[in-house]
Amino acid sequence: MNYRSLATHNAACNEIFYRFQDCENEHPYRRFLGYCEHIQREMHECIKKQREIRRAESAQLRRKRLETGKPAQQETSD
């Protein structure tokens, strides 16, 4: 998994992300034995909570759009 792409989250998750990176950099061989795993789990929990919040906000926005009768805006990908 590419952890560099995970740094785009909120400040709390970024803090955990940077602690995880520091741990891996400080312990290049211990990381293979699970030395930094507790920080990694904490990071995954934070990202999961943030994803659930975004999902709930998106669902709420979707319901609001359906109630008003406006079509949902669709993104076009090139």
Side-chain angles (χ1 to χ4, degrees):
M1 180 175 249
N2 184 2
Y3 294 110
R4 296 192 191 287
S5 65
L6 299 178
T8 59
H9 295 279
N10 63 11
C13 291
N14 282 340
E15 160 71 29
I16 298 168
F17 170 74
Y18 293 127
R19 280 191 315 162
F20 176 68
Q21 275 189 329
D22 290 342
C23 182
E24 283 198 330
N25 290 334
E26 291 173 8
H27 309 286
Y29 297 107
R30 287 183 174 179
R31 69 181 183 163
F32 296 116
L33 301 174
Y35 190 79
C36 303
E37 195 170 302
H38 64 287
I39 302 172
Q40 185 179 16
R41 273 187 258 134
E42 188 178 347
M43 181 177 63
H44 284 284
E45 287 177 27
C46 183
I47 292 169
K48 182 178 178 181
K49 287 178 188 176
Q50 187 180 19
R51 185 172 51 239
E52 290 171 355
I53 291 169
R54 278 192 316 228
R55 187 179 296 143
E57 289 173 353
S58 179
Q60 184 179 18
L61 181 63
R62 177 76 173 154
R63 273 187 247 119
K64 186 176 178 181
R65 285 182 180 161
L66 288 173
E67 289 173 0
T68 60
K70 292 182 181 178
Q73 295 176 353
Q74 295 182 359
E75 295 181 16
T76 58
S77 58
D78 294 321

